[in-house]
Amino acid sequence: MTDRSSAERADELVDAWDEMREYVDHEPRTYEGLVVECARELAADPRGPLAYSWTLGLVLALPYLATRKPEDGDVGAAFDAAQAVDRALRDAPCTHQGHPFQGDLEGELGNMADVLRELADDGRPWTDLRPRDAWLCPRNVAGHARVVMESLRPGSAGDVPPFLPFEDRYELEGLTAIMEGHPLARTFDVAWDLSFAASALQETADDELAGRVFVATAVAWYVEAEADDAAAQELVDELADAFERAIGLLDDGPCPHGAHPDLPGDTTEALWVGMHLASARGRAAYEKWPEPWAPPLDTALCPAFVAATARDSLTRLRNG
Ligand SMILES: [Zn+2]
Ligand SMILES: [Zn+2]
C-alpha cells in the first residue's frame, strides 16, 4: 500500500477500533481481523509515519484481546508487533517532560479514538490537554506499544504505569451494568453473572481476599435491594458460604488503625474498589490514581476491616 492509501485506511478504521473497545467480544471474527491488520502494518514498518495509529489501534483492542487465549494467533501477532515498535522507537531523541502513555489508561481509553481522529486531521481542533507532538513522539508510540505488551504478557514491560487488568475490567463493566439496571448484551442470565462473585470469593486467598470480599459485598448489597426470587435465594446461600469461609481465613486481631473508613455506600463504587484490590496490578493502579471516594489502600486491605465487612455482609444476608 502507498502511504496515502495506508493513511486513509488507518483513518477509516478508527470507528471500528472504537467499537471493538466498547463491545469487547460482540464480533470476535471482525476484531481478530482488525488486530491482525494492525500487527501486520506495524511489523512491516515499525518506524513508519503511521506507527502511532496502528499502535493505538492495538491499545483499543486490549479489552478484546483479554478475552482471547494467550496462544491465539492474534494475541501473539499483536505482542510481536508491539515489541518491534518498542525496540525501534524507545530510544528516539526527545525533549518532552512526559508522554500521554504515562497517564491513567483506565480513564483515557474512552477518549483515545477522538485523539486519533484529531491526530489524523490537521483541520480538526486539538482538544487533548497534552500537546499533539507528545502523542506523535516516537517515545510515546513506544510507550503505548509497551502498554500493549504489558497487558498481553504481564511483566514484559513493567515500566509502564499500572492499570487494571483487562480481564477484571471485563468483569467490572459487566457487573456495573447489571447494578445500574442495564445489563450488557453479553449478560445472558443476571443471576449467573452475579454468582461469579460468590465463586471467585470461594476460591480466593491471601492478597486477593480483600478485593474479593468487597466485590461480593457489593453484589450482596445489590441482591438485598433488587432480587426477590428463587434464583436470588440460591445466590444468597452461595454468597453467605463464601463470606463464612473468608472470615475463617482472616486474622482478625488488633490492628494499628484507630478507625477504618467505610467502603463507599454506592454499590457500583464499592464494586470498583473491590475489583481493583483483587489483583496486584489493580492495587498498584488504585494507589497511583486514588479516587476521592475510595478508602486509602492500607486501611482497605487491613484484615480487621475486611473481616468486619465480611461479617456485616453475612449478617445482612442471613437476616434478609
Ligand atoms: Zn517525547
Ligand atoms: Zn486496621
Side-chain angles (χ1 to χ4, degrees), residues 94-96 99 137 139:
C94 141
T95 56
H96 300 115
H99 293 103
C137 174
R139 286 202 187 200

Side-chain angles (χ1 to χ4, degrees), residues 235-256:
L235 182 55
V236 163
D237 293 340
E238 287 171 19
L239 285 164
D241 288 349
F243 281 122
E244 259 182 355
R245 171 184 170 276
I247 292 165
L249 294 174
L250 287 157
D251 175 9
D252 200 7
C255 76

Side-chain angles (χ1 to χ4, degrees), residues 101-150:
F101 84 88
Q102 293 166 304
D104 176 8
L105 183 64
E106 198 174 338
E108 301 215 350
L109 204 64
N111 301 324
M112 218 163 255
D114 282 337
V115 170
L116 267 170
R117 290 183 189 103
E118 292 173 18
L119 287 172
D121 180 358
D122 285 335
R124 286 188 192 237
W126 181 253
T127 57
D128 193 73
L129 295 174
R130 281 107 5 136
R132 182 190 180 94
D133 57 272
W135 277 93
L136 294 172
C137 174
R139 286 202 187 200
N140 185 57
V141 179
H144 276 124
R146 289 201 300 284
V147 168
V148 172
M149 292 165 61
E150 180 66 11

Side-chain angles (χ1 to χ4, degrees), residues 220-231:
W221 292 351
Y222 171 76
V223 171
E224 187 183 350
E226 298 295 332
D228 52 5
D229 55 12

Side-chain angles (χ1 to χ4, degrees), residues 253-260 298-306:
C255 76
H257 308 114
H260 300 108
D298 67 324
T299 49
L301 294 176
C302 170
F305 174 61
V306 179

Side-chain angles (χ1 to χ4, degrees), residues 24-34 64 67-68 74:
V24 185
D25 55 1
H26 267 215
E27 295 181 46
R29 285 182 155 266
T30 304
Y31 302 161
E32 180 179 8
L34 291 171
Y64 153 73
T67 68
R68 306 281 285 164
D74 53 350

Side-chain angles (χ1 to χ4, degrees), residues 56-82:
L56 289 181
L58 290 181
V59 173
L60 289 169
L62 291 176
Y64 153 73
L65 286 168
T67 68
R68 306 281 285 164
K69 297 188 189 71
E71 63 272 23
D72 285 335
D74 53 350
V75 177
F79 183 89
D80 291 347

